[in-house]
Amino acid sequence: MTVHEERDVVIVGGGPAGLAAARRLAAAGLRVTVLDEQPELGGQYFRRPAPEVARVWGEHRPEGRRLVEAVRAAGVECRTGHLVWGVDDDGRTLLVSDPAEHPVRLRGRYVIVATGAYERPFPFPGWQLPGVTTPGFAQHLAAADHTPIGERVLLAGSGPFLLPVACSLLALGVQVAGIAEAGHPYRP
Ligand SMILES: Cc1cc2nc3c(=O)[nH]c(=O)nc-3n(C[C@H](O)[C@H](O)[C@H](O)COP(=O)(O)OP(=O)(O)OC[C@H]3O[C@@H](n4cnc5c(N)ncnc54)[C@H](O)[C@@H]3O)c2cc1C
């Protein structure tokens, strides 16, 4: 296993949260490394569309590109294609696979975990039928790829994420029949 030099801060996750932290910490003079398993930085919110889509629709959320540029300009070491799969007993040494799937050990005086959230689909009768999908997938298609998931959509689930999904669908001319919210997030 390769042992790399110790960094001041190692950040797991190059989405909006990890990038914002990296920019601040690097500006304060710390040596920062960002690790992300994806081939590009940006995470879910600033995910780049396919080049063919970008050619037709232009840049998706250009503030994401500007944030990545600012992070790189601040001297942050960015390692994409690096999957963090464990932490050693000291709690500060990350066990990582590089893009060639070689094991790497990377130690930070401080470690920030900014690995984001993920959808937790709740199985119900019919959830695998054609035309049923997760809000995240509908959002990915709509926001990044300008492709509506359907002509008329009912959103169901819980939490504020349903709202940006509804907005993205509406912006594409989709008829949003309603939002079925399982919780009570908007109760005063
Ligand atoms: C498909 C989808 C679409 C979304 N669209 C919107 C939207 O339009 N508006 C909105 O407000 N919110 C949206 N969200 C919610 C979104 O998660 C947050 O808004 C925002 O991206 C969170 O930023 P973050 O930096 O915390 O996490 P993320 O953006 O999720 O970034 C986390 C990063 O950590 C990396 N990572 C995770 N685990 C590891 C590991 N073990 N090793 C290395 N790297 C790792 C991931 O590759 C990822 O790049 C969406 C979520 C999904 C799933």
Side-chain angles (χ1 to χ4, degrees):
M1 242 186 205
T2 318
V3 179
H4 283 265
E5 62 178 293
E6 179 164 309
R7 310 289 291 176
D8 292 323
V9 186
V10 179
I11 300 176
V12 188
L19 291 173
R23 182 170 60 174
R24 280 291 183 94
L25 294 170
L30 298 174
R31 291 176 310 149
V32 182
T33 292
V34 171
L35 303 171
D36 201 296
E37 64 176 315
Q38 293 296 322
E40 289 193 57
L41 298 172
Q44 297 290 358
Y45 190 75
F46 291 138
R47 185 180 297 282
R48 292 267 177 81
E52 298 75 21
V53 176
R55 260 198 298 280
V56 176
W57 294 101
E59 202 176 2
H60 171 61
R61 293 178 177 152
E63 63 273 28
R65 175 182 48 76
R66 287 195 287 272
L67 178 57
V68 171
E69 286 170 357
V71 164
R72 292 191 191 279
V76 174
E77 181 195 30
C78 299
R79 297 192 193 183
T80 53
H82 282 67
L83 170 70
V84 179
W85 53 268
V87 185
D88 223 338
D89 289 343
D90 64 2
R92 299 184 301 129
T93 304
L94 299 175
L95 311 175
V96 183
S97 289
D98 75 6
E101 299 194 1
H102 293 134
V104 174
R105 291 164 64 93
L106 194 57
R107 189 179 299 125
R109 283 203 296 132
Y110 297 93
V111 173
I112 295 178
V113 178
T115 48
Y118 62 92
E119 283 188 294
R120 195 175 58 173
F122 185 73
F124 56 89
W127 76 305
Q128 291 167 308
L129 289 175
V132 181
T133 183
T134 64
F137 182 62
Q139 175 71 343
H140 180 75
L141 276 184
D145 291 343
H146 290 263
T147 304
I149 195 80
E151 293 175 5
R152 190 161 184 270
V153 174
L154 172 69
L155 286 162
S158 77
F161 182 54
L162 296 174
L163 299 179
V165 181
C167 290
S168 299
L169 293 172
L170 289 168
L172 291 176
V174 173
Q175 190 189 345
V176 177
I179 298 179
E181 165 60 58
H184 302 281
Y186 314 115
R187 188 182 280 168

